[in-house]
Amino acid sequence: MKSLPIRIAPSMLAADFSKLAQQISEAEKGGADLIHCDVMDGLFVPNLTFGPEIIRTLRKVTDVPLDVHLMIVKPELSIQAYADAGAAIITIHQEASVHLHRTLTEIRRMGIQAGVSLNPSTPVSTIEPVLEKIDLLLIMTVNPGFGGQQFIEACLRKVEEAHALRERSGLGFSIEVDGGIEPATIGRVARAGADTFVAGTAVFHGAIAKNIQSLREATQKERF
Ligand code: DX5
Ligand code: ZN
C-alpha cells in the first residue's frame, strides 16, 4: 500500500485550559490535522480528565476533526455520547473492551471512524481478528494516563509489526502513535511506519505553530 499522508494531532491535554479555545485555534492555524482529546476515567488509567461536554465545546471552536482517545472502562456505554458530541474518530482500548468487535462495529454504524489502541504491554497480534473493523490503530508509546512521559523504545518494534501487518492484509487503516512524541523521536516512529502522530508537550509547551512545523519536518527527513 502507498504511504498514508502524515498527520500531526496535538493533544489538548497539554494545552493551557484557561485559554483552551485560543490554543486550539493556534494549533488549527499552525496546520494541526486532528485535535487529539484524551478522555480518562480514573479507573482504566489513574487520572481523570473530561467527558463529552468538553468535546462538544471544542467542536464549536474548531473545524479540525476531533480524535477522541477513550481511556475508560466499558467504552461501549459512552460511545454514543462522544459521537453526538462531534467526534470524528473514536478510539477505544483493546484492554478495556471485552466485546471489541461489537463496539468497533457500533462506532462505525454511528458514522464515526473507529480506532483501537494498544498499551505498551499488549501485543499487536491481539487485534488481528478486528483489523477489518478499524480505521485507525493507535500504538501507545507510553503507558497511558499522563502527558510528558518518556517515549518507550520497545514500542518501535510494534509500529513496525503493525505496518507489516497492514501491508500483508492490504487494508488501509492509519497507524497512530501517542506518548513522548517530539522532534527527537518522531523520525524513528515515522520510519517504522506510523503516519499519525499525537504530541502534547511537544506542541503546547512553547510556540504552537512552530512546534507543529518542527514535528512535521522531522517526519519528512526520515520517512521512506
Ligand atoms: C497519554 C495520552 C497522550 C498524552 C501525550 O495517556 O494518551 O495523548 O497527552 O502527551 P505527550 O505528548 O506529552 O507525551
Ligand atoms: Zn492520547
Side-chain angles (χ1 to χ4, degrees):
M1 204 189 100
K2 258 181 64 211
S3 296
L4 293 172
I6 293 285
R7 295 189 295 182
I8 306 291
S11 166
M12 45 84 94
L13 192 60
D16 179 342
F17 277 36
S18 69
K19 43 181 178 178
L20 190 54
Q22 185 191 320
Q23 297 224 315
I24 296 302
S25 144
E26 271 184 58
E28 179 166 4
K29 288 195 200 100
D33 299 288
L34 299 167
I35 298 293
H36 185 81
C37 308
D38 286 308
V39 176
M40 304 185 188
D41 66 353
L43 283 172
F44 180 66
V45 289
N47 194 7
L48 191 60
T49 56
F50 47 80
E53 280 315 310
I54 294 285
I55 307 290
R56 193 185 310 282
T57 305
L58 277 182
R59 180 67 295 146
K60 289 184 199 145
V61 302
T62 181
D63 292 327
V64 179
L66 303 178
D67 173 29
V68 176
H69 177 193
L70 295 182
M71 286 160 275
I72 64 175
V73 297
K74 298 190 194 286
E76 60 279 5
L77 300 181
S78 21
I79 49 175
Q80 185 71 59
Y82 291 97
D84 294 345
I89 306 170
I90 296 179
T91 297
I92 58 174
H93 268 262
Q94 184 272 3
E95 305 85 0
S97 186
V98 177
H99 301 291
L100 190 59
H101 184 279
R102 178 189 291 151
T103 311
L104 292 167
T105 304
E106 281 175 9
I107 294 172
R108 275 190 168 170
R109 199 183 300 134
M110 290 167 190
I112 313 288
Q113 291 186 38
V116 67
S117 180
L118 299 174
N119 283 338
S121 59
T122 308
V124 171
S125 58
T126 56
I127 46 88
E128 275 188 52
V130 297
L131 282 186
E132 290 187 0
K133 292 280 164 191
I134 64 170
D135 301 290
L136 178 143
L137 170 58
L138 169 53
I139 308 274
M140 290 306 298
T141 43
V142 297
N143 288 293
F146 304 94
Q149 301 182 79
Q150 201 186 345
F151 179 80
I152 299 173
E153 293 288 335
C155 297
L156 265 181
R157 178 77 190 277
K158 288 174 66 183
V159 177
E160 287 169 1
E161 281 173 27
H163 186 261
L165 185 59
R166 188 179 68 196
E167 294 298 296
R168 280 203 304 281
S169 67
L171 295 168
F173 57 86
S174 289
I175 299 175
E176 182 177 56
V177 283
D178 183 5
I181 301 299
E182 53 180 342
T185 52
I186 197 170
R188 278 175 293 143
V189 261
R191 178 138 191 88
D195 52 79
T196 302
F197 304 87
V198 177
T201 310
V203 167
F204 287 103
H205 293 198
I208 296 172
K210 193 171 144 278
N211 287 343
I212 293 173
Q213 184 59 26
S214 307
L215 287 167
R216 200 182 296 282
E217 280 170 14
T219 64
Q220 279 154 8
K221 275 186 215 139
E222 292 265 356
R223 224 172 174 219
F224 41 68

